[in-house]
Amino acid sequence: MFAVTAARIDADHPLSGLEIADRPDPAAPAGWTTVSVRAAALNHHDVWTLRGVGITEDRLPIVLGCDAAGVDEDGNDVIVHSVIGDPDAAGRDETLDPRRSLLSERYDGTFAERVAVPRRNLVPKPAALSFTEAACLPTAYLTAYRMLFEKSGVQPGSTILVQGAGGGVATALILLGRAAGFRVWATSRSEEKQERARELGAEQAFPAGSRLPERVDAVMETVGEATWAHSLRALRPGGRIVVCGATSGAVPPADLNRVFFLQLSVVGSTMGTRDQLGRLARFCEQTGVRPRIDRALPLREAAGGFAAMIDGDLFGKVVFTV
Ligand SMILES: NC(=O)c1ccc[n+]([C@@H]2O[C@H](COP(=O)([O-])OP(=O)(O)OC[C@H]3O[C@@H](n4cnc5c(N)ncnc54)[C@H](OP(=O)(O)O)[C@@H]3O)[C@@H](O)[C@H]2O)c1
């Protein structure tokens, strides 16, 4: 079958390890099944893999891709949940299983004509969502869903700040947050992306790092070092940062005086459960929210999508069609 793999690790030139070629068909062990992929979305995770973050050379070559929507062996339209873990390991939440992995970390991923996954990882695709739209949900949108509705601790009507408005998770936060009744503010380095964030539903958008009209209840952080100090300054006393990523670096100054004096909380968040993915699909169906897609490309042209992500030249998701 045709697939996009990580063949080598190169921290500085991630695209040099990308291989677009035929690979053996996946074998489904007991309890697993095979999905014919129709669409698969790109995440920053795929770039991290090519840079050697979160993976070691001995796992290569491995098919990239965490997200997919497709057709299962019985002809059902499905969304593939990317977290491979034991839900009974820790409180009915497979993301807390210390041995959990995402597709493309230990097992071949979704940038292929077919992918093998545990049977329990299939979620019905609502007919209202196209395959291309549904493929965006399992990583970026699921992560945003958990950040907003499980981890933020704030209620609809509260003000949240989304850092780095153009990213896949960030656009998901704006769309889902707005649909749920949050007042969403966003920052971006680019004026054009600030404008697009407003079009998506952000009430206001600001240049990265700028002073806000008032302090916010919660900050959604995916950028890391480049925005961390601003995230701490933006919070009201008792406010909360929910952090799921650190694209620009993971070790900013902690500014502990501000954290304890203003009684701030910093909460980590990773992916979500299979059941949350099912509820997210229904949330989109019920609210009419559809993932913001920057571009859809044939899987054979995947390198162009990777290059745009590495350059930060995106607003929303890149989806590969099969
Ligand atoms: N924990 C989890 O489960 C989980 C799930 C999904 C993603 N993540 C992580 O979250 C991060 C975002 O993922 P993504 O797929 O949304 O990535 P993405 O689509 O590539 O988004 C990156 C965005 O971050 C902003 N940014 C990047 N570098 C910046 C810098 N130096 N200064 C300011 N802003 C910068 C940019 O926003 P502007 O251009 O608008 O400023 C850019 O659009 C990644 O690190 C990813 O690994 C974690």
Side-chain angles (χ1 to χ4, degrees):
M1 66 168 184
F2 179 71
V4 174
T5 61
R8 286 168 302 283
I9 284 170
D10 189 325
D12 299 322
H13 304 100
L15 277 179
S16 68
L18 197 64
E19 225 165 68
I20 302 186
D22 281 341
R23 289 265 296 166
D25 259 358
W32 288 48
T33 187
T34 305
V35 172
S36 298
V37 177
R38 291 287 170 79
L42 179 67
N43 291 287
H44 218 100
H45 185 281
D46 302 302
V47 176
W48 290 129
T49 301
L50 291 168
R51 290 192 196 276
V53 178
I55 196 160
T56 45
E57 198 88 45
D58 55 297
R59 296 253 173 94
L60 306 184
I62 195 161
V63 178
L64 289 164
C66 302
D67 297 349
V71 180
D72 73 8
E73 286 172 352
D74 301 321
N76 303 304
D77 293 351
V78 292
I79 305 174
V80 174
H81 180 44
S82 186
V83 183
I84 314 291
D86 176 0
D88 295 327
R92 304 292 307 157
D93 182 340
E94 60 271 25
T95 68
L96 296 176
D97 176 358
R99 289 202 306 259
R100 62 121 166 82
S101 67
L102 301 187
L103 285 171
S104 81
E105 289 178 352
R106 190 172 304 144
Y107 305 102
D108 276 335
T110 59
F111 292 170
E113 288 172 288
R114 281 172 292 287
V115 60
V117 290
R119 233 174 258 285
R120 83 170 290 279
N121 282 47
L122 300 186
V123 169
K125 180 185 82 64
L129 270 71
S130 68
F131 283 108
T132 310
E133 290 165 344
C136 299
L137 300 188
T139 298
Y141 280 70
L142 180 61
T143 300
Y145 181 94
R146 167 170 271 186
M147 289 171 80
L148 289 168
F149 305 133
E150 183 189 332
K151 301 281 187 166
S152 77
V154 296
Q155 307 290 319
S158 305
T159 304
I160 61 164
L161 179 69
V162 177
Q163 299 280 22
V169 178
T171 47
L173 286 162
I174 295 170
L175 281 163
L176 300 179
R178 168 63 188 256
F182 294 105
R183 180 165 70 157
V184 181
W185 291 354
T187 69
S188 174
R189 294 165 298 175
S190 131
E191 225 170 86
E192 189 192 336
K193 290 188 193 178
Q194 291 164 39
E195 184 49 40
R196 292 203 196 162
R198 287 184 211 102
E199 284 163 20
L200 271 194
E203 192 219 31
Q204 296 191 62
F206 308 92
S210 62
R211 192 182 173 86
L212 304 177
E214 62 187 70
R215 297 237 166 92
V216 303
D217 299 302
V219 178
M220 305 294 126
E221 180 53 88
T222 64
V223 179
E225 274 182 27
T227 50
W228 188 253
H230 183 244
S231 294
L232 286 170
R233 283 201 311 275
L235 280 179
R236 66 158 166 79
R240 184 177 294 186
I241 297 179
V242 185
V243 54
C244 85
T247 305
S248 63
V251 199
D255 198 355
L256 292 176
N257 286 338
R258 183 174 284 272
V259 172
F260 70 71
F261 193 69
L262 295 178
Q263 305 188 66
L264 308 178
S265 311
V266 175
V267 174
S269 194
T270 280
M271 301 294 284
T273 65
R274 188 265 322 259
D275 294 350
Q276 284 177 323
L277 179 61
R279 286 197 290 278
L280 164 63
R282 236 176 285 132
F283 182 93
C284 293
E285 189 185 34
Q286 293 300 312
T287 57
V289 164
R290 296 293 177 269
R292 162 76 198 206
I293 294 168
D294 180 275
R295 67 193 79 179
L297 301 168
L299 185 59
R300 285 180 191 276
E301 295 169 25
F306 275 82
M309 177 164 276
I310 290 164
D311 294 343
D313 178 25
L314 290 178
F315 193 84
K317 299 294 293 173
V318 175
V319 184
F320 302 129
T321 52
V322 184

